[in-house]
Coordinates of all heavy atoms in Angstrom, one line a residue:
Y1 N 0.8 -1.2 0.0 CA 0.0 0.0 0.0 C 0.9 1.3 0.0 O 0.3 2.4 0.1 CB -0.9 0.0 1.2 CG -2.0 -1.1 1.2 CD1 -1.8 -2.2 2.0 CD2 -3.1 -1.0 0.4 CE1 -2.7 -3.3 1.9 CE2 -4.1 -2.0 0.4 CZ -3.9 -3.1 1.1 OH -4.8 -4.2 1.1
G2 N 2.2 1.1 -0.1 CA 3.1 2.2 -0.2 C 3.3 2.9 1.2 O 3.6 4.1 1.2
I3 N 3.2 2.1 2.2 CA 3.3 2.7 3.6 C 4.6 2.3 4.2 O 5.0 1.1 4.3 CB 2.2 2.2 4.5 CG1 0.8 2.5 3.9 CG2 2.3 2.8 5.9 CD1 -0.4 1.8 4.6
P4 N 5.5 3.3 4.6 CA 6.7 3.0 5.3 C 6.5 2.4 6.6 O 5.5 2.5 7.2 CB 7.4 4.4 5.4 CG 6.3 5.4 5.3 CD 5.3 4.8 4.4
I5 N 7.5 1.7 7.1 CA 7.4 0.8 8.3 C 8.5 1.0 9.3 O 9.7 1.1 8.9 CB 7.4 -0.7 7.8 CG1 6.2 -1.0 6.9 CG2 7.4 -1.7 9.0 CD1 6.4 -2.2 6.0
V6 N 8.1 1.0 10.5 CA 9.0 0.9 11.7 C 8.6 -0.4 12.5 O 7.4 -0.5 12.8 CB 9.0 2.1 12.6 CG1 9.9 1.9 13.8 CG2 9.4 3.4 11.9
S7 N 9.5 -1.3 12.7 CA 9.2 -2.5 13.4 C 10.1 -2.7 14.6 O 11.3 -2.3 14.6 CB 9.3 -3.7 12.5 OG 9.2 -4.9 13.2
T8 N 9.6 -3.3 15.6 CA 10.4 -3.7 16.8 C 11.0 -5.1 16.7 O 11.6 -5.6 17.7 CB 9.6 -3.6 18.1 OG1 8.4 -4.5 18.0 CG2 9.1 -2.2 18.4
C9 N 10.9 -5.7 15.5 CA 11.5 -7.0 15.3 C 13.1 -6.9 15.5 O 13.7 -6.2 14.7 CB 11.2 -7.5 13.9 SG 12.1 -9.0 13.4
E10 N 13.6 -7.6 16.5 CA 15.0 -7.5 16.8 C 15.9 -7.9 15.7 O 16.9 -7.3 15.5 CB 15.3 -8.3 18.1 CG 14.7 -7.8 19.4 CD 13.3 -8.4 19.7 OE1 12.7 -8.9 18.7 OE2 12.9 -8.5 20.9
E11 N 15.6 -9.0 15.0 CA 16.4 -9.5 13.9 C 16.4 -8.6 12.7 O 17.3 -8.7 11.9 CB 16.0 -10.9 13.5 CG 16.2 -11.9 14.6 CD 15.9 -13.3 14.1 OE1 15.2 -13.5 13.1 OE2 16.3 -14.3 14.9
L12 N 15.5 -7.6 12.7 CA 15.5 -6.7 11.5 C 16.5 -5.5 11.8 O 16.7 -4.7 10.8 CB 14.1 -6.1 11.4 CG 13.8 -5.3 10.1 CD1 13.9 -6.1 8.8 CD2 12.4 -4.6 10.2
S13 N 17.0 -5.3 13.0 CA 17.8 -4.2 13.3 C 19.1 -4.1 12.4 O 19.6 -3.0 12.1 CB 18.2 -4.2 14.8 OG 19.0 -5.3 15.1
F14 N 19.7 -5.2 12.2 CA 20.9 -5.3 11.3 C 20.9 -6.8 10.8 O 21.7 -7.6 11.3 CB 22.2 -4.9 11.9 CG 23.3 -4.7 11.0 CD1 23.5 -3.4 10.5 CD2 24.1 -5.7 10.5 CE1 24.6 -3.1 9.6 CE2 25.1 -5.5 9.6 CZ 25.4 -4.2 9.1
P15 N 20.1 -7.1 9.8 CA 19.9 -8.5 9.4 C 20.8 -9.2 8.4 O 20.7 -10.4 8.1 CB 18.5 -8.5 8.9 CG 18.4 -7.2 8.2 CD 19.2 -6.2 9.0
W16 N 21.7 -8.4 7.8 CA 22.4 -8.9 6.6 C 23.3 -10.1 6.9 O 23.4 -11.0 6.0 CB 23.3 -7.7 6.0 CG 22.4 -6.7 5.3 CD1 22.1 -6.7 4.0 CD2 21.8 -5.6 5.9 NE1 21.3 -5.6 3.7 CE2 21.1 -4.9 4.9 CE3 21.8 -5.1 7.2 CZ2 20.4 -3.7 5.1 CZ3 21.0 -3.9 7.5 CH2 20.4 -3.3 6.4
E17 N 23.9 -10.2 8.0 CA 24.8 -11.3 8.3 C 24.1 -12.6 8.8 O 24.4 -13.7 8.4 CB 25.9 -10.9 9.3 CG 26.7 -9.7 8.9 CD 27.7 -10.1 7.8 OE1 27.9 -11.3 7.6 OE2 28.1 -9.2 7.0
E18 N 23.1 -12.4 9.7 CA 22.5 -13.5 10.4 C 21.3 -14.1 9.5 O 21.0 -15.3 9.6 CB 22.0 -13.1 11.7 CG 23.1 -12.9 12.8 CD 23.8 -14.2 13.1 OE1 23.2 -15.0 13.8 OE2 25.0 -14.3 12.6
N19 N 20.7 -13.2 8.7 CA 19.5 -13.7 8.0 C 19.6 -13.1 6.5 O 18.7 -12.3 6.1 CB 18.2 -13.2 8.6 CG 17.9 -14.0 9.9 OD1 17.5 -15.1 9.9 ND2 18.2 -13.4 11.0
P20 N 20.6 -13.5 5.8 CA 20.8 -12.9 4.4 C 19.6 -13.2 3.5 O 19.2 -12.3 2.7 CB 22.0 -13.6 3.9 CG 22.2 -14.8 4.7 CD 21.6 -14.5 6.1
E21 N 19.0 -14.4 3.5 CA 17.9 -14.7 2.5 C 16.7 -13.8 2.8 O 16.1 -13.2 1.9 CB 17.5 -16.1 2.6 CG 16.5 -16.5 1.5 CD 16.2 -18.0 1.5 OE1 16.9 -18.8 2.1 OE2 15.2 -18.4 0.9
A22 N 16.3 -13.8 4.1 CA 15.1 -13.0 4.5 C 15.4 -11.5 4.2 O 14.5 -10.7 3.8 CB 14.8 -13.2 5.9
T23 N 16.6 -11.1 4.5 CA 17.0 -9.7 4.2 C 16.8 -9.3 2.7 O 16.3 -8.3 2.4 CB 18.4 -9.4 4.6 OG1 18.6 -9.7 6.0 CG2 18.8 -8.0 4.4
K24 N 17.3 -10.2 1.9 CA 17.2 -10.0 0.4 C 15.8 -9.9 0.0 O 15.4 -9.1 -0.8 CB 17.9 -11.2 -0.3 CG 17.9 -11.1 -1.8 CD 18.6 -12.3 -2.5 CE 18.5 -12.2 -4.0 NZ 19.2 -13.4 -4.6
N25 N 14.9 -10.7 0.6 CA 13.5 -10.7 0.3 C 12.8 -9.4 0.7 O 12.1 -8.8 -0.1 CB 12.7 -11.9 0.9 CG 13.2 -13.2 0.4 OD1 13.7 -13.3 -0.7 ND2 12.9 -14.3 1.2
I26 N 13.2 -8.9 1.9 CA 12.6 -7.7 2.4 C 13.1 -6.5 1.6 O 12.4 -5.5 1.3 CB 12.9 -7.5 3.9 CG1 12.1 -8.5 4.7 CG2 12.6 -6.1 4.4 CD1 12.4 -8.6 6.1
E27 N 14.4 -6.5 1.2 CA 15.0 -5.4 0.4 C 14.2 -5.4 -1.0 O 14.0 -4.3 -1.5 CB 16.5 -5.7 0.2 CG 17.3 -5.4 1.4 CD 18.8 -5.6 1.1 OE1 19.1 -6.6 0.5 OE2 19.6 -4.7 1.6
A28 N 13.9 -6.6 -1.5 CA 13.2 -6.6 -2.8 C 11.8 -6.0 -2.6 O 11.3 -5.3 -3.5 CB 13.1 -8.0 -3.3
I29 N 11.1 -6.3 -1.5 CA 9.8 -5.8 -1.2 C 9.9 -4.3 -1.1 O 9.0 -3.5 -1.7 CB 9.2 -6.4 0.1 CG1 8.9 -7.9 -0.1 CG2 8.0 -5.6 0.6 CD1 8.6 -8.6 1.2
C30 N 10.8 -3.7 -0.4 CA 11.0 -2.3 -0.3 C 11.2 -1.6 -1.6 O 10.7 -0.6 -1.9 CB 12.2 -2.0 0.7 SG 11.9 -2.4 2.4
K31 N 12.0 -2.3 -2.4 CA 12.3 -1.7 -3.8 C 11.1 -1.8 -4.7 O 10.7 -0.8 -5.4 CB 13.5 -2.5 -4.4 CG 13.9 -2.0 -5.8 CD 15.0 -2.8 -6.3 CE 15.5 -2.3 -7.7 NZ 16.6 -3.0 -8.3
K32 N 10.4 -2.9 -4.6 CA 9.2 -3.0 -5.5 C 8.1 -2.0 -5.2 O 7.5 -1.4 -6.1 CB 8.6 -4.5 -5.3 CG 7.4 -4.7 -6.1 CD 6.9 -6.2 -5.8 CE 5.6 -6.4 -6.6 NZ 5.1 -7.9 -6.4
Y33 N 7.9 -1.8 -3.9 CA 6.8 -0.8 -3.5 C 7.3 0.5 -3.1 O 6.5 1.4 -2.7 CB 6.0 -1.5 -2.3 CG 5.3 -2.8 -2.7 CD1 5.8 -4.0 -2.2 CD2 4.3 -2.8 -3.6 CE1 5.2 -5.2 -2.5 CE2 3.6 -4.0 -4.0 CZ 4.1 -5.2 -3.4 OH 3.5 -6.4 -3.8
E34 N 8.6 0.8 -3.2 CA 9.2 2.0 -2.9 C 8.9 2.6 -1.6 O 8.4 3.7 -1.4 CB 8.8 3.1 -4.0 CG 9.3 2.7 -5.4 CD 9.0 3.7 -6.4 OE1 8.1 4.5 -6.3 OE2 9.8 3.8 -7.4
V35 N 9.1 1.7 -0.5 CA 8.9 2.1 0.8 C 10.2 2.0 1.7 O 11.1 1.2 1.3 CB 7.8 1.3 1.5 CG1 6.5 1.5 0.8 CG2 8.2 -0.2 1.6
A36 N 10.3 2.8 2.7 CA 11.4 2.6 3.7 C 11.0 1.8 4.8 O 9.8 1.8 5.2 CB 11.8 4.0 4.2
C37 N 11.9 1.0 5.3 CA 11.6 0.0 6.4 C 12.7 0.0 7.4 O 13.9 0.1 7.0 CB 11.4 -1.4 5.8 SG 11.0 -2.6 7.1
L38 N 12.4 0.0 8.7 CA 13.4 0.1 9.8 C 13.1 -0.8 10.9 O 11.9 -0.9 11.3 CB 13.5 1.6 10.3 CG 14.3 1.8 11.6 CD1 15.8 1.7 11.2 CD2 14.0 3.1 12.2
G39 N 14.1 -1.5 11.4 CA 14.0 -2.3 12.6 C 14.7 -1.6 13.8 O 15.9 -1.2 13.6
T40 N 14.0 -1.3 14.9 CA 14.7 -0.5 15.9 C 14.1 -1.0 17.3 O 13.2 -1.8 17.4 CB 14.5 1.0 15.7 OG1 15.4 1.7 16.6 CG2 13.1 1.5 16.0
G41 N 14.6 -0.3 18.3 CA 14.2 -0.6 19.7 C 15.3 -0.1 20.6 O 16.3 0.5 20.1
V42 N 15.2 -0.4 21.9 CA 16.3 0.1 22.8 C 17.5 -0.8 22.7 O 18.6 -0.3 22.7 CB 15.8 0.2 24.2 CG1 15.5 -1.2 24.8 CG2 16.8 1.0 25.1
N43 N 17.2 -2.1 22.4 CA 18.3 -3.0 22.4 C 17.9 -4.4 21.7 O 17.1 -5.1 22.4 CB 18.9 -3.3 23.8 CG 20.1 -4.2 23.7 OD1 20.9 -4.1 22.8 ND2 20.2 -5.1 24.7
P44 N 18.2 -4.6 20.5 CA 19.1 -3.8 19.6 C 18.4 -2.6 19.1 O 17.1 -2.5 19.2 CB 19.4 -4.8 18.5 CG 18.2 -5.7 18.4 CD 17.7 -5.9 19.9
G45 N 19.1 -1.7 18.5 CA 18.6 -0.5 18.0 C 19.1 0.8 18.5 O 19.1 1.8 17.9
F46 N 19.6 0.7 19.8 CA 20.2 1.9 20.4 C 21.3 1.7 21.3 O 22.5 2.1 21.0 CB 19.1 2.7 21.1 CG 19.5 4.1 21.6 CD1 19.7 5.1 20.8 CD2 19.9 4.2 22.9 CE1 20.1 6.4 21.2 CE2 20.3 5.5 23.4 CZ 20.5 6.5 22.6
L47 N 21.1 1.1 22.5 CA 22.1 1.1 23.6 C 23.4 0.4 23.3 O 24.4 0.9 23.7 CB 21.4 0.6 24.9 CG 20.5 1.5 25.6 CD1 19.8 0.8 26.7 CD2 21.2 2.7 26.1

């Protein structure tokens, strides 16, 4: 629906090394629908 996303999913905070296949799929989704997506929280994500 073209809606950008913020998620508290911990594995989404920096997923390239631990979950490369899922990361590739999500990057493709973001590209296809031209949306920004972020995984954050206090930990991981900040502290």
